[in-house]
Amino acid sequence: MSLNSRALNSGVLPRVLITGLQGFTGRYMAAELEQNGYEVWGIGSSNPDEPRTLQADLTDTASLIAAIQKVQPQYVVHLAGIAFVGHGQPKAFYDINLVGTRNLLEALAPVSDQLRCVLLASSANVYGNLQGGLLNETNPTNPANDYAVSKLAMEYMAKIWAPHIPVVIARPFNYTGVGQSDSFLIPKIVSHFVHKRDTIELGNMDVWREFNDVRDVVHAYRKLIEAAPVEQTINVCSSNLVSLRDALSLASEMTGHTLNVTVNPAFVRPNEVLKLGGETTLLKTFVPDWKPRALRETLAWMIDAESKHLCQL
């Protein structure tokens, strides 16, 4: 019997706490869980308007303890953090991604007996840019910026708590979707095509990367907390590599617009590998129905949403 069926039969929904509920991934995570029989609670640093959302700050352990004592979760999906690699204050990566996660785990310790799974969202950035091809979880880590270092440090720190808290670490590769900031690559491309800009500045056009769909990522996260492969680190990836040049061609085909591309040297990483993605074997062990969308479907969704938004302006 599925988790959803058990919950409906018992009349008691399993309770999950999402950190970063108000962020890009958090909103999709909440929808995925609610549609599959969970009672969703969230915490955020701003004053929340949504029901079952509490104000708590990852840098303030006391506020986290108070929120967790109120929610009494069986599951936690930890999404809160600073995700943009170009963020201007490197110290914030460590304050939030590392120390903030430690504060969360400390706050969860008093309710550890009732916890079934705590998923921590790390990043495939921990592998760095020196290894090519499809990487699996045994590949060496080689973080190349403060964001990636903070995420890898978070992974090591979490192992200290693993004997007491059922932690699973997810390493998502690139993903995107409606609502993601256009400081990220695919939303930037979509915005430029929909708004019919003349020129776009990008980096190396001939690199191949994954551009996965946020709806698939949150589906994988739900399946992972249900499977609860405690103390494992799992790539959330598709192995579907697309070149930046092909992504631009696809956007041009779908919008009927063409633009000029200027390569900005500031966006080009030295010694960048040509092809880089994730290997899905371990993920499929716990998410056997894993069938990620192709970029064309994700782009169609994003272009449609951006076009509708433009018409409303």
Side-chain angles (χ1 to χ4, degrees), residues 11-193:
V12 179
L13 300 182
R15 187 172 295 184
V16 60
L17 175 68
I18 302 174
T19 71
L21 178 67
Q22 298 161 313
F24 166 59
T25 311
R27 289 184 168 87
Y28 290 100
M29 190 77 250
E32 170 74 18
L33 290 166
E34 287 170 348
Q35 290 165 10
N36 287 277
Y38 290 84
E39 178 181 308
V40 174
W41 288 72
I43 58 174
S45 57
S46 61
N47 191 20
D49 297 322
E50 296 91 345
R52 295 203 297 272
T53 303
L54 306 174
Q55 185 172 4
D57 193 318
L58 288 175
T59 63
D60 179 7
T61 307
S63 71
L64 291 171
I65 291 173
I68 288 163
Q69 288 298 319
K70 181 172 182 177
V71 175
Q72 295 289 314
Q74 286 89 50
Y75 299 92
V76 178
V77 180
H78 178 41
L79 303 175
I82 298 176
F84 180 50
V85 173
H87 184 73
Q89 299 180 345
K91 181 176 179 291
F93 288 122
Y94 301 97
D95 290 343
I96 303 300
N97 296 349
L98 175 56
V99 179
T101 302
R102 191 204 179 281
N103 292 341
L104 175 66
L105 293 173
E106 180 180 344
L108 287 169
V111 299
S112 60
D113 288 347
Q114 70 192 35
L115 290 172
R116 300 175 189 171
C117 188
V118 176
L119 184 143
L120 304 181
S122 182
S123 170
N125 274 272
V126 300
Y127 293 114
N129 297 306
L130 300 180
Q131 306 169 79
L134 299 180
L135 308 182
N136 64 39
E137 293 80 2
T138 65
N139 277 86
T141 53
N142 187 34
N145 52 57
D146 285 295
Y147 167 70
V149 171
S150 74
K151 285 294 192 179
L152 184 58
M154 178 202 74
E155 293 186 15
Y156 279 108
M157 178 275 300
K159 292 178 182 179
I160 299 172
W161 297 86
H164 312 291
I165 296 175
V167 169
V168 172
I169 293 172
R171 287 178 179 166
F173 282 68
N174 294 336
Y175 66 91
T176 189
V178 173
Q180 188 178 39
S181 166
D182 62 9
S183 59
F184 291 87
L185 179 60
I186 296 299
K188 175 181 178 178
I189 290 172
V190 168
S191 177
H192 275 68
F193 275 98

Side-chain angles (χ1 to χ4, degrees), residues 173-177 210-214 217 236-238 240 292 298:
F173 282 68
N174 294 336
Y175 66 91
T176 189
E210 295 190 9
F211 300 111
N212 300 318
D213 193 301
V214 64
V217 170
V236 177
C237 54
S238 65
N240 297 330
T298 306

Side-chain angles (χ1 to χ4, degrees), residues 177-182 186-197 255 298-313:
V178 173
Q180 188 178 39
S181 166
D182 62 9
I186 296 299
K188 175 181 178 178
I189 290 172
V190 168
S191 177
H192 275 68
F193 275 98
V194 171
H195 289 260
K196 300 189 182 304
R197 309 294 189 204
T255 61
T298 306
L299 275 179
W301 173 47
M302 295 175 69
I303 289 168
D304 180 64
E306 184 73 12
S307 299
K308 288 177 179 176
H309 176 71
L310 182 61
C311 290
Q312 294 170 356
L313 296 179

Side-chain angles (χ1 to χ4, degrees), residues 182-186 188-189 192-193 197-205 244 248 259-268:
D182 62 9
S183 59
F184 291 87
L185 179 60
I186 296 299
K188 175 181 178 178
I189 290 172
H192 275 68
F193 275 98
R197 309 294 189 204
D198 294 326
T199 305
I200 187 170
E201 285 191 348
L202 297 171
N204 189 342
M205 296 284 293
L244 180 51
L248 285 166
L259 47 69
N260 295 316
V261 178
T262 300
V263 176
N264 185 334
F267 299 160
V268 178

